[in-house]
Amino acid sequence: MSNAPEKMDGTSLDIAAENRARLKAMFPTVFTETVNDKGELVESVDFEKLKAELGTFTEFFESRRERYGMDWPCKKETMRLIQTTSAATLKPCREESVNFDTTENLFIEGDNLEVLKLLQKSYYGKVKMIYIDPPYNTGNEFIYPDNYSESLETYLEYAGLIDGEGRKFSTNTANEGRFHTKWLNMMYPRLYLARNLLRDDGVIFISIDDNEVSNLKKICDEIFGEENFVGLFVINSSPSAIDYGHIAQMHDYCLFYAKSLSETITSHLPEENKNFKYEDNIGQFNLYPLYNGNVAFNPKTRPNLFYPFYLNPSHKIAEDFYEIGLEEHEGWVKIYPVISKKDSIQHVWRWSKNLSYKHLNQEIVGYKTEDGEYRIVQKTRHTGKVIRSLQIDKNISTRRGTAEVENIFNSKIFQFPKPIELIKRFMSIGMQEDDIILDFFSGSCTTAHAVLDLNKQDNGNRKFIMVQLPEPCA
């Protein structure tokens, strides 16, 4: 311990700041983000909530209307921003393009919010898959303008952090009182518009880290619907771990949503030497229950997935399978999805009635269990396996992505690029060989690289739309 006298800074103690710090240490939940009289986002105290923390719970909850949802300052402004039409246009750049007249792939430079608005006319409901790797809001590299009137030109000023009218751009630090608000204001309108571009059977994958994963989940539940949440991937981004703080960080996340889960069918990843129990005129297959095993999907939350099948016990269409239909006949057995033994909750089907109708007695059939109960089952012919929520092998680490970019440019051009293999896995389960994929935070264009790689691998005809803000390049 040093015996040197403590250096004085010549200023008195900020008592108010000290008191706020003590209050925040005791009651962190009462601090929130609000808009002050100047229209600036600031950190403030929710005094009504402080009353609740101090014991006057009844007074607090009776004085406000309770509801479930997510709110933050300027959310209304983001909704107005979504409704504002764009005056921008897309300008073709033939001199910078390759095979301009024949390629069906697009690389668009511009503000992705403006581009998403422009794509609404031509690509509304036509995109099968979206993958994005947005800013992670670490407080360092995430930069966002303080106003909402963004244009393509303002992005050209990013390098200098000043726009054309002299307004200052700033990094988003946790101690300025609007850390999450600025990020949410940036993401919400873009995700809202992106959903419009998805087909009814479309899917979206969003990479994120632990700074905003909980907020991203909430706004995606609001935009896409909680019932369309497919799952959360844990991805081994740093196999050797980042040794700082209290935990050596090794992973990131990727949220997976469907536009309409009942219309979405995902593919399996390849699996060598898979065994099949059954075979028909199409090929080998195994059986899989048609009901949805997640109790969050039930007749109340998904009424369109709760309907009866009818099974003809007197007519087998094969040795082990019975004829089924969606209309009632005399002597036929009515079959609903099973009830959960653990929770006693009624399950629903995984397929909509329209989808089931298309595959009656072909890919879905009636089956009698060893206990003598009739079931509706799906034939699964996949020579692969369902993708795992834990993606932990080294082939999909950020280190691998960095090496791939360095091999192309012989230099470290991009920070933390996603590896090609990770995107190829998501594409393999989320889209078919002639579908369109969109990435509006394209960065190093790993998504485009993955499309070309996968097309070369299986002779597919997938197309991509990449969007990236304009940046000066050597």
Side-chain angles (χ1 to χ4, degrees):
M1 180 180 293
S2 172
N3 293 321
E6 184 178 353
K7 190 175 180 179
M8 306 295 289
D9 63 6
T11 60
S12 62
L13 180 66
D14 188 338
I15 297 176
E18 285 290 309
N19 289 337
R20 286 195 299 271
R22 291 193 186 100
L23 185 64
K24 193 170 187 178
M26 295 174 63
F27 305 107
T29 62
V30 307
F31 281 79
T32 185
E33 297 173 354
T34 58
V35 180
N36 66 12
D37 295 338
K38 298 178 181 179
E40 300 170 333
L41 287 165
V42 295
E43 184 179 66
S44 62
V45 178
D46 185 334
F47 288 101
E48 293 300 320
K49 198 167 185 180
L50 179 59
K51 289 180 182 179
E53 292 280 1
L54 294 173
T56 55
F57 289 101
T58 302
E59 177 185 344
F60 170 63
F61 286 113
E62 287 182 353
S63 66
R64 61 184 291 178
R65 183 178 179 182
E66 294 181 60
R67 69 178 184 89
Y68 179 81
M70 187 179 183
D71 206 0
W72 64 89
C74 295
K75 184 178 181 181
K76 290 182 180 179
E77 293 295 329
T78 67
M79 299 304 296
R80 293 192 188 100
L81 191 62
I82 291 168
Q83 304 302 325
T84 303
T85 57
S86 173
T89 57
L90 295 178
K91 178 183 177 181
C93 297
R94 288 179 175 272
E95 67 281 1
E96 298 179 30
S97 302
V98 178
N99 302 327
F100 183 90
D101 294 310
T102 57
T103 182
E104 296 182 79
N105 297 314
L106 294 175
F107 180 85
I108 304 173
E109 285 191 332
D111 169 10
N112 55 15
L113 183 62
E114 296 293 313
V115 173
L116 287 168
K117 290 182 179 181
L118 295 175
L119 291 176
Q120 299 292 310
K121 285 187 177 180
S122 299
Y123 288 94
Y124 189 95
K126 293 183 179 180
V127 175
K128 179 62 172 69
M129 174 176 161
I130 295 173
Y131 171 79
I132 55 172
D133 182 21
Y136 280 7
N137 202 13
T138 61
N140 296 317
E141 70 276 351
F142 172 55
I143 300 171
Y144 187 69
D146 289 338
N147 68 307
Y148 288 94
S149 57
E150 300 170 287
S151 67
L152 304 183
E153 289 74 20
T154 59
Y155 275 103
L156 295 174
E157 305 294 336
Y158 259 46
L161 302 183
I162 298 291
D163 73 6
E165 298 179 15
R167 288 188 296 263
K168 185 178 180 181
F169 291 95
S170 60
T171 54
N172 189 35
T173 56
N175 60 6
E176 67 173 317
R178 48 182 176 172
F179 182 65
H180 298 293
T181 293
K182 292 172 74 175
W183 189 86
L184 288 167
N185 287 338
M186 185 271 293
M187 288 296 296
Y188 192 92
R190 287 160 174 81
L191 289 174
Y192 190 101
L193 292 169
R195 182 187 179 277
N196 292 343
L197 300 177
L198 285 175
R199 290 173 9 186
D200 287 342
D201 63 346
V203 294
I204 183 170
F205 297 82
I206 311 170
S207 289
I208 197 67
D209 71 354
D210 50 10
N211 285 300
E212 295 290 357
V213 64
S214 60
N215 286 331
L216 179 61
K217 173 70 165 60
K218 290 185 179 72
I219 62 174
C220 283
D221 283 346
E222 182 173 316
I223 294 170
F224 295 96
E226 188 175 359
E227 69 277 8
N228 292 315
F229 172 63
V230 183
L232 176 69
F233 292 101
V234 176
I235 299 170
N236 182 10
S237 58
S238 303
S240 58
I242 301 174
D243 293 333
Y244 63 83
H246 302 281
I247 299 176
Q249 195 75 15
M250 295 181 65
H251 69 277
D252 286 336
Y253 304 94
C254 186
L255 284 168
F256 180 13
Y257 278 80
K259 186 173 185 179
S260 177
L261 191 61
S262 62
E263 299 296 324
T264 299
I265 300 176
T266 54
S267 302
H268 289 193
L269 295 177
E271 182 181 26
E272 295 181 3
N273 304 319
K274 186 167 183 176
N275 295 319
F276 292 93
K277 185 176 180 181
Y278 303 96
E279 186 172 1
D280 61 12
N281 61 325
I282 297 177
Q284 295 180 315
F285 63 91
N286 287 322
L287 300 180
Y288 190 73
L290 193 65
Y291 69 83
N292 192 323
N294 187 343
V295 295
F297 303 104
N298 55 66
K300 290 184 178 180
T301 61
R302 300 297 286 180
N304 62 310
L305 297 180
F306 185 65
Y307 55 90
F309 281 90
Y310 298 92
L311 180 146
N312 185 357
S314 303
H315 182 209
K316 283 190 173 183
I317 58 175
E319 183 177 351
D320 294 298
F321 307 115
Y322 294 85
E323 178 187 8
I324 59 173
L326 292 170
E327 297 179 358
E328 189 171 7
H329 298 279
E330 185 177 352
W332 288 36
V333 180
K334 182 184 290 187
I335 302 176
Y336 282 100
V338 299
I339 296 174
S340 168
K341 293 181 179 179
K342 178 181 178 182
D343 306 290
S344 297
I345 295 175
Q346 173 70 63
H347 287 298
V348 294
W349 304 116
R350 288 185 288 107
W351 288 10
S352 67
K353 196 170 186 177
N354 287 338
L355 185 60
S356 295
Y357 182 79
K358 295 176 184 178
H359 299 284
L360 280 176
N361 300 309
Q362 297 172 20
E363 295 305 308
I364 55 173
V365 292
Y367 179 75
K368 193 174 185 178
T369 67
E370 294 180 356
D371 297 330
E373 296 183 3
Y374 293 112
R375 295 280 189 267
I376 305 299
V377 294
Q378 175 192 355
K379 296 179 181 179
T380 60
R381 306 178 185 277
H382 303 286
T383 56
K385 62 180 179 181
V386 177
I387 192 170
R388 277 21 184 184
S389 60
L390 291 177
Q391 294 291 305
I392 56 177
D393 58 281
K394 294 183 179 180
N395 291 329
I396 47 84
S397 71
T398 301
R399 182 182 298 172
R400 176 63 63 90
T402 301
E404 289 167 350
V405 174
E406 288 183 0
N407 288 338
I408 297 173
F409 295 103
N410 295 317
S411 177
K412 190 172 182 179
I413 303 295
F414 292 93
Q415 289 187 325
F416 313 117
K418 287 294 181 287
I420 298 169
E421 175 61 25
L422 177 65
I423 313 304
K424 285 171 65 175
R425 289 182 191 179
F426 292 155
M427 288 168 50
S428 295
I429 69 168
M431 62 188 298
Q432 299 300 315
E433 295 177 2
D434 58 352
D435 290 334
I436 299 173
I437 184 172
L438 166 67
D439 182 348
F440 51 91
F441 286 100
S442 63
S444 62
C445 274
T446 299
T447 302
H449 196 156
V451 168
L452 299 176
D453 230 28
L454 204 54
N455 282 345
K456 183 178 179 181
Q457 182 178 316
D458 62 9
N459 295 316
N461 191 32
R462 302 168 186 84
K463 299 107 179 171
F464 62 74
I465 303 173
M466 300 291 107
V467 184
Q468 179 60 24
L469 60 89
E471 295 176 291
C473 298

